[in-house]
Amino acid sequence: MASCTGSFDPLLPVSGVNVDSVLGTESSKTTEDADLPECLELGGPASDIHLALFEALNLYRAENGLEPLIYSQKLEAVADAHLQDTWNRDYFAHINPEGQEPGDRAFEAGFCHRYVGENLAAGQRSVESVMKAWKDSPTHDQNMLREGYVYVGMGYFEDPLGRKYWAQSFAYDVP
């Protein structure tokens, strides 16, 4: 059975702080910016499946008049590790058993900040089917089409029985 868990949005109220103003999400960086911090770890996806997910997401964003996201290998590593962890410890959630949210896990792994959103899914057999599941879910769709996101990393894991797990880790610009 295929499933999605509710998307995780780091902009839900955080002690009354306006995260958009804190992050200054109106600036846009490109991979050509020479002074980008190493904590972004920009580069290409690790596998053909990660690449197909990335291309499908950016195509969907373009179809909706949005800028493409820039790929972060650091966010990919965080997404892959979370999917592996959910399988290893038999849970399926954005918040791990220790209470870490996506941004906590990303920051602990060396990403630049904690303002990270996440889409998770499991059981879909192809990039097309997981993208359809996320598009059909309003909260997942909002994450994919959020204008403020700048960086993304894709996660993919297949368990020993062939069940596939999928993730998208989104991040705002570096403050």
Side-chain angles (χ1 to χ4, degrees), residues 59-79:
L59 176 62
Y60 183 54
R61 288 177 60 86
E63 291 168 352
N64 285 276
L66 297 171
E67 292 291 319
L69 297 179
I70 300 168
Y71 205 79
S72 166
Q73 293 173 334
K74 179 66 72 181
L75 290 174
E76 176 187 279
V78 169

Side-chain angles (χ1 to χ4, degrees), residues 120-169:
L120 297 176
Q124 294 82 5
R125 296 178 184 209
S126 67
V127 169
E128 295 77 18
S129 63
V130 75
M131 286 296 295
K132 180 177 180 348
W134 283 329
K135 289 176 189 178
D136 289 346
S137 165
T139 56
H140 293 93
D141 195 50
Q142 287 171 354
N143 256 352
M144 292 191 298
L145 298 177
R146 186 171 304 280
E147 289 185 43
Y149 286 140
V150 176
Y151 305 104
V152 70
M154 301 298 166
Y156 175 76
F157 171 72
E158 188 171 334
D159 73 21
L161 299 176
R163 181 174 169 88
K164 297 178 181 186
Y165 297 78
W166 311 87
Q168 296 173 318
S169 292

Side-chain angles (χ1 to χ4, degrees), residues 28-38 40 42 151:
S28 61
K29 293 188 173 148
T30 67
T31 55
E32 287 78 37
D33 291 334
D35 60 345
L36 289 175
E38 289 182 29
L40 292 172
L42 302 182
Y151 305 104

Side-chain angles (χ1 to χ4, degrees), residues 8-10 102-103 114-119 143 149 168-172:
F8 185 87
D9 180 356
R114 287 184 164 87
Y115 298 105
V116 175
E118 178 177 77
N119 283 346
N143 256 352
Y149 286 140
Q168 296 173 318
S169 292
F170 304 95
Y172 289 93

